[in-house]
Amino acid sequence: MVTIRFARGGAKKKPFYQIVVTEHANPRDGRFIERLGYYSPTAKNKDYKLDVERAREWVASGARVSNSVKGLLRKEGVPTA
């Protein structure tokens, strides 16, 4: 099953997340199929960037979206269910 979720990076207590498409069985920070963008929760305005077109294509082809990424997709107007 293909999932759109976060992969964590950054230093201790300074998280930085990549929004990735991966197999559900892969580890959180493991191998991924495609990188769709990033999310930085420690920035002043919670900076993020997302490739909306590719996200729509993945959701349309049946990729499941994690709860945390679902909020960002809704902000961009991508239907998640």
Side-chain angles (χ1 to χ4, degrees):
M1 174 186 327
V2 177
T3 306
I4 301 174
R5 65 181 181 199
F6 286 136
R8 191 183 193 281
K12 182 178 177 182
K13 299 199 183 231
K14 295 181 183 174
F16 182 85
Y17 298 98
Q18 292 182 18
I19 303 167
V20 297
V21 179
T22 184
E23 282 292 325
H24 182 72
N26 288 345
R28 180 191 68 184
D29 301 333
R31 191 175 66 201
F32 59 88
I33 300 169
E34 184 177 354
R35 181 176 181 255
L36 298 178
Y38 65 86
Y39 172 61
S40 181
T42 56
K44 288 186 179 180
N45 58 353
K46 296 197 179 192
D47 184 34
Y48 72 94
K49 182 178 179 182
L50 178 65
D51 186 352
V52 178
E53 286 295 316
R54 291 298 296 159
R56 279 196 177 114
E57 289 175 24
W58 279 107
V59 170
S61 66
R64 294 188 62 194
V65 182
S66 71
N67 292 333
S68 50
V69 175
K70 201 176 282 190
L72 293 178
L73 292 179
R74 283 187 186 144
K75 280 185 183 179
E76 294 296 321
V78 177
T80 57

